[in-house]
Amino acid sequence: MTVTKMSWRPQYRSSKFRNVYGKVANREHCFDGIPITKNVHDNHFCAVNARFLAIVTESAGGGSFLVIPLEQTGRIEPNYPKVCGHQGNVLDIKWNPFIDNIIASCSEDTSVRIWEIPEGGLKRNMTEALLELHGHSRRVGLVEWHPTTNNILFSAGYDYKVLIWNLDVGEPVKMIDCHSDVILCMSFNTDGSLLATTCKDKKLRVIEPRSGHVLQEASCKNHRVNRVVFLGNMKRLLTTGVSRWNTRQIALWDQEDLSMPLIEEEIDGLSGLLFPFYDADTHMLYLAGKGDGNIRYYEISTEKPYLSYLMEFRSPAPQKGLGVMPKHGLDVSACEVFRFYKLVTLKGLIEPISMIVPRRSDSYQEDIYPMTPGTEPALTPDEWLGGINRDPVLMSLKEGYKKSSKMVFKAPIKEKKSVVVNGIDLLENVPPRTENELLRMFFRQQDEIRRLKEELAQKDIRIRQLQLELKNLRNSPKNC
């Protein structure tokens, strides 16, 4: 006869992240007096790394963003210098994961630009980009750096195309043209060999980026997808979206079979977009609604029920967007496992929120800080474009988490020419789609006409001078 021992363990899953809590920085450690953009585009308008905070601002004429060194907290002067080279609103900004002072921006002016921020931040307005990338025929809504390869950048435009840029040559090298509407979100798996996208055509796609082949596709009729995120190496995807009853929900998918979600979970009946953030080191998922003040967090596992609710950070101030600090910028001595930078538009305030695991010991907590992707690329652009995949180069947060990257960005020397990708010239005869584009094109042409007229006038003067010289030569008595 076998005796079954009763387990003394409680029924809930024991988890070291069960008591994680959110801690808002003191007012003097916030960034105040910032004219945060009023643009309604569904992006975060904020990017952060271990050295700088960048925020898209409200500005008259063209688009601009602020770049503030992290230690420069408190009130920001109204005339603080900006990065302001775009001719249209800036829609997205992202820091290069391997070079701290390089940032990419994209805009309604159809361009993507690469900027180099000087040591210690800006001393004057910056209008000249290191690189101007032209290839989209309509405004560009998203930019994403490749997670393991240096100098490979993805951009998604309102022309429904994703362009892959090799910044070593400053040109688009691939075009992904499988979407039939505006692309809402892009996410990479850990080694960057797969790209997941959500689109206004209500489809979730998993794409092999180098060939542009769609490997998996889901038509989400019951769950209108908005945002997608790869869940590390779990071979899972998580999407946020809206149910047919207009409630906010999340869905978990097997990346190799998108025929049906593994689970769908209703969150609430609010209307703001749900932004998902996933931390592959702790397997924690954070959900933050646009216009909400709270951030829910869950733990994700490979077995059922897959998703375990942990807790909720609550705040009365609504968030417009959230920046996330990379792992190597966290304070490990305070057991900080995640840090948000919350945009509070009404107050012109950026508020750091630290997610902390309560621990009594002051020593380094190995179990909550596994080896994590660092600041060194695993591949060169040519290697990745040639078909090689490699996992990120990992670093320990115990030893060198303040180590800065030795890499520098060298901009290629470019001549003006046509941009041909997949046999299509992306810059040739692109008709303007909006009144703004039409006006910009008109002013550009006016400038060009003015320049050509001046050139013509100069040449006329030169011709007259040469004619006079010729006349003088003819009339002068010949030397015998």
Side-chain angles (χ1 to χ4, degrees):
M1 182 183 150
T2 55
V3 180
T4 321
K5 274 189 175 178
M6 288 293 289
S7 169
W8 56 268
R9 287 194 179 91
Q11 285 305 299
Y12 63 78
R13 283 177 74 250
S14 66
S15 163
K16 60 185 101 158
F17 303 109
R18 200 173 161 69
N19 297 312
V20 167
Y21 65 95
K23 183 184 177 188
V24 181
N26 298 335
R27 193 64 189 236
E28 64 266 25
H29 293 124
C30 295
F31 300 83
D32 202 355
I34 292 167
I36 300 165
T37 179
K38 294 185 175 67
N39 197 311
V40 293
H41 189 72
D42 282 331
N43 267 351
H44 292 294
F45 299 112
C46 174
V48 64
N49 65 15
R51 285 172 62 193
F52 297 109
L53 170 69
I55 312 106
V56 179
T57 57
E58 193 63 22
S59 63
S64 62
F65 58 96
L66 285 173
V67 176
I68 306 163
L70 280 187
E71 61 278 4
Q72 202 176 318
T73 54
R75 191 151 192 86
I76 302 300
E77 293 302 313
N79 56 354
Y80 194 87
K82 294 181 176 73
V83 178
C84 50
H86 280 289
Q87 274 100 50
N89 288 326
V90 174
L91 297 180
D92 198 12
I93 47 176
K94 294 274 162 61
W95 289 105
N96 184 321
F98 310 115
I99 310 174
D100 271 349
N101 64 333
I102 297 292
I103 189 167
S105 63
C106 63
S107 160
E108 288 181 351
D109 67 8
T110 76
S111 75
V112 176
R113 299 185 191 211
I114 310 297
W115 310 86
E116 183 175 27
I117 306 302
E119 205 66 39
L122 299 178
K123 299 289 179 277
R124 60 183 73 84
N125 281 357
M126 180 179 273
T127 53
E128 287 296 311
L130 264 186
L131 262 184
E132 277 185 40
L133 307 173
H134 295 278
H136 287 284
S137 60
R138 299 187 69 183
R139 58 188 167 148
V140 189
L142 295 169
V143 282
E144 288 290 344
W145 294 92
H146 192 275
T148 61
T149 309
N150 188 36
N151 283 349
I152 290 282
L153 182 74
F154 284 58
S155 62
Y158 277 61
D159 50 9
Y160 314 157
K161 292 173 178 58
V162 176
L163 293 183
I164 306 176
W165 304 86
N166 177 356
L167 302 186
D168 280 358
V169 294
E171 298 289 346
V173 284
K174 303 275 177 190
M175 176 167 70
I176 299 170
D177 193 7
C178 59
H179 300 87
S180 59
D181 210 324
V182 175
I183 299 139
L184 302 172
C185 182
M186 298 190 283
S187 175
F188 289 100
N189 65 344
T190 309
D191 67 2
S193 60
L194 296 174
L195 174 73
T197 64
T198 56
C199 179
K200 253 191 178 162
D201 63 12
K202 299 179 186 161
K203 286 183 180 171
L204 167 66
R205 293 173 175 88
V206 174
I207 301 161
E208 200 295 306
R210 284 167 291 216
S211 64
H213 291 153
V214 179
L215 306 178
Q216 288 286 327
E217 187 174 278
S219 288
C220 310
K221 291 185 175 68
N222 298 339
H223 167 78
R224 277 204 318 279
V225 285
N226 278 323
R227 289 288 179 276
V228 61
V229 63
F230 266 102
L231 302 180
N233 286 328
M234 284 188 184
K235 294 193 180 276
R236 299 270 194 271
L237 291 165
L238 184 121
T239 58
T240 66
V242 181
S243 74
R244 53 167 64 172
W245 296 282
N246 272 352
T247 56
R248 297 197 293 190
Q249 62 178 189
I250 55 175
L252 189 69
W253 308 79
D254 177 342
Q255 75 182 39
E256 283 160 6
D257 178 14
L258 298 185
S259 55
M260 280 285 290
L262 297 169
I263 54 166
E264 278 181 359
E265 193 164 307
E266 305 241 328
I267 301 298
D268 56 30
L270 298 176
S271 60
L273 177 78
L274 270 180
F275 292 117
F277 302 90
Y278 179 67
D279 180 359
D281 296 347
T282 59
H283 306 299
M284 280 176 73
L285 170 78
Y286 300 87
L287 289 181
K290 188 177 177 181
D292 303 2
N294 57 353
I295 300 169
R296 296 173 175 86
Y297 37 106
Y298 302 76
E299 197 167 10
I300 292 191
S301 61
T302 44
E303 286 93 43
K304 285 185 176 176
Y306 304 123
L307 208 63
S308 308
Y309 175 76
L310 291 171
M311 226 186 283
E312 185 174 5
F313 163 81
R314 290 174 178 271
S315 152
Q319 58 231 3
K320 184 185 179 74
L322 294 154
V324 171
M325 174 62 78
K327 267 286 156 83
H328 59 273
L330 298 179
D331 182 359
V332 295
S333 64
C335 295
E336 183 184 35
V337 288
F338 215 73
R339 191 191 305 158
F340 292 102
Y341 283 76
K342 171 175 164 174
L343 275 62
V344 186
T345 317
L346 298 172
K347 299 179 183 171
L349 185 70
I350 313 288
E351 209 173 46
I353 302 165
S354 298
M355 308 310 287
I356 290 170
V357 179
R359 293 272 168 103
R360 286 198 178 91
S361 167
D362 287 341
S363 62
Y364 178 73
Q365 308 290 310
E366 205 88 43
D367 61 326
I368 59 173
Y369 296 116
M371 295 284 279
T372 193
T375 55
E376 214 179 296
L379 292 165
T380 65
D382 291 341
E383 287 173 329
W384 184 75
L385 291 165
I388 300 171
N389 295 319
R390 212 171 277 156
D391 281 331
V393 179
L394 301 180
M395 71 192 284
S396 162
L397 298 186
K398 186 179 185 178
E399 307 304 328
Y401 77 100
K402 289 293 182 214
K403 221 168 42 180
S404 65
S405 169
K406 302 280 182 291
M407 299 193 66
V408 289
F409 183 82
K410 287 191 181 73
I413 294 149
K414 290 179 69 183
E415 325 153 8
K416 282 277 184 204
K417 58 176 180 188
S418 61
V419 176
V420 180
V421 179
N422 299 9
I424 300 163
D425 188 344
L426 300 174
L427 296 183
E428 187 183 38
N429 301 330
V430 175
R433 314 278 178 114
T434 63
E435 202 175 322
N436 268 354
E437 280 180 32
L438 192 65
L439 278 171
R440 266 201 304 279
M441 199 173 265
F442 171 73
F443 289 129
R444 251 204 312 268
Q445 285 173 345
Q446 291 296 306
D447 286 346
E448 184 67 3
I449 290 166
R450 202 174 297 119
R451 189 184 64 75
L452 289 169
K453 277 183 175 169
E454 280 171 12
E455 215 173 284
L456 209 58
Q458 292 297 322
K459 283 183 175 159
D460 272 350
I461 293 166
R462 186 75 187 121
I463 287 166
R464 277 197 214 104
Q465 283 174 340
L466 288 168
Q467 281 173 337
L468 277 170
E469 281 173 30
L470 199 62
K471 212 173 184 180
N472 289 343
L473 276 168
R474 277 189 189 142
N475 293 341
S476 64
K478 285 181 182 168
N479 296 326
C480 298

